[in-house]
Amino acid sequence: MTKLKIAIQKSGRLNEDSLKLLKDCGISIDNGKDQLKASARNFPVEVLYLRNGDIPQYLRDGVVDVAILGENTLVEKGEELEIIERLGFSKCRVSLAVPKEFEYTGIQDLNGKRIATSYPNTVEKYLKEQGITAELHIINGSVEIAPNIGLADAICDIVSSGSTLFKNGLKEAVQMSVSEAVLTAGPNLSADKKAILDTIQFRIQSVLRGQNSKYILLNAPNDKVESIIDILPGMRSPTVLPLAEKGWSSIHTVVLGKSKFWDIIEELKARGAEGILVVPIEKMVL
């Protein structure tokens, strides 16, 4: 039977979130401690646990068919590989950082400086676009220590909260790009494997829609219903049901996206909505 080989990071948060996503898609992985390869019990998938930086080459070579990895790694080592789906977790930024005492005023301050990084291709491309020449020191591992030991004047690394920079006496100078976990595929998938991937992507999209949406139930006087419906974004249109209490209705709808959620809730209250219930959605299938 044809199986789709999926690469995920061997350890760390990207590993945990990737396995959770597969589980949410109904794919049960039998993996033990320190196991480098595992098969799904209920789906034609095999998971390989690999070093993040090695995954792009394995995709090119056909060792694995698809992968969940950080976009920053894809930009650095597999820019020609296609992003199939943005997954919304493991968000970070790729930034240049300098010591706190460095009087940074602009990117021109790094001209002629030494920069330590694990992302030489990313840094080189960015500096070239900015017309800056710098000496790159490639370090595999923790680069934050480089300025403290005199190896570099600045670093380029991924930044989440910025706490690691702070602990090492550094400050973020330039945000070069943002990154998140992405689903990508190798260049030569067979028709059978493409069909399996299409099914997985359909499930992933349903999970992501559910994560970014809320189901809302509320009560409202009948004379306020039209005003309330006017501000409710939904998949089609809200469901309006009469309540046992005369002159009142119950309105049900789905609010898509998180950015304006609280603004909508506050406006609903202002327009007469009462008893508002907000329910998480596990999956949303269109």
Side-chain angles (χ1 to χ4, degrees):
M1 184 177 82
T2 301
K3 286 190 175 184
L4 188 75
K5 294 180 180 179
I6 301 179
I8 67 172
Q9 191 178 46
K10 186 177 178 181
S11 60
R13 184 178 175 185
L14 194 57
N15 166 279
E16 296 168 4
D17 288 341
S18 299
L19 288 175
K20 182 181 183 303
L21 177 62
L22 292 177
K23 183 179 179 180
D24 290 342
C25 290
I27 300 173
S28 301
I29 307 296
D30 292 319
N31 62 303
K33 186 178 180 182
D34 299 326
Q35 194 171 348
L36 299 180
K37 186 170 70 171
S39 294
R41 295 195 301 269
N42 58 346
F43 201 80
V45 156
E46 192 171 62
V47 174
L48 283 77
Y49 302 94
L50 305 170
R51 287 182 66 251
N52 210 36
D54 295 337
I55 292 176
Q57 189 59 50
Y58 283 131
L59 284 165
R60 290 190 199 96
D61 294 342
V63 176
V64 296
D65 304 307
V66 300
I68 298 174
L69 76 167
E71 184 181 1
N72 57 295
T73 300
L74 199 62
V75 170
E76 175 66 24
K77 296 189 174 183
E79 198 169 15
E80 80 285 1
L81 297 169
E82 179 186 2
I83 293 176
I84 298 173
E85 195 78 43
R86 294 185 176 277
L87 303 177
F89 59 83
S90 293
K91 291 185 177 182
C92 62
R93 51 195 183 273
V94 182
S95 297
L96 289 164
V98 296
K100 289 179 181 177
E101 63 273 13
F102 190 109
E103 295 183 4
Y104 181 83
T105 60
I107 190 66
Q108 69 279 355
D109 292 339
L110 297 181
N111 205 29
K113 301 296 186 182
R114 300 166 300 163
I115 301 176
T117 186
S118 301
Y119 303 97
N121 295 331
T122 302
V123 179
E124 188 173 4
K125 180 180 178 181
Y126 179 81
L127 293 180
K128 186 176 180 180
E129 291 171 351
Q130 301 297 320
I132 302 298
T133 301
E135 180 184 342
L136 299 188
H137 289 267
I138 302 172
I139 298 178
N140 294 317
S142 299
V143 301
E144 296 89 355
I145 196 174
N148 290 330
I149 61 175
L151 182 62
D153 304 299
I155 70 163
C156 172
D157 202 6
I158 57 172
V159 179
S160 296
S161 66
S163 61
T164 302
L165 294 181
F166 180 80
K167 290 175 184 177
N168 286 275
L170 301 172
K171 61 183 179 182
E172 195 171 359
V174 182
Q175 179 180 302
M176 296 165 50
S177 62
V178 293
S179 175
E180 65 182 290
V182 297
L183 179 69
T184 184
N188 299 305
L189 288 186
S190 67
D192 288 345
K193 290 185 175 181
K194 181 67 168 60
I196 297 171
L197 175 58
D198 287 344
T199 300
I200 292 175
Q201 190 175 4
F202 170 77
R203 294 188 183 188
I204 287 175
Q205 289 171 347
S206 298
V207 170
L208 295 180
R209 283 192 210 100
Q211 291 174 350
N212 291 313
S213 306
K214 299 291 183 184
Y215 190 78
I216 293 181
L217 304 86
L218 61 89
N219 297 330
N222 287 344
D223 61 352
K224 304 288 186 181
V225 168
E226 286 192 19
S227 174
I228 287 172
I229 288 176
D230 284 344
I231 64 165
L232 286 177
M235 296 176 65
R236 286 187 182 273
S237 63
T239 299
V240 180
L241 301 170
L243 290 180
E245 184 177 348
K246 190 175 181 180
W248 283 77
S249 294
S250 176
I251 302 175
H252 301 200
T253 192
V254 172
V255 174
L256 305 173
K258 297 178 180 179
S259 60
K260 295 184 178 180
F261 173 78
W262 284 110
D263 292 336
I264 292 171
I265 294 296
E266 289 162 5
E267 184 63 23
L268 287 173
K269 286 181 64 63
R271 296 194 182 199
E274 296 182 10
I276 302 172
L277 297 181
V278 181
V279 182
I281 298 173
E282 184 175 313
K283 298 173 183 68
M284 185 184 297
V285 181
L286 298 182

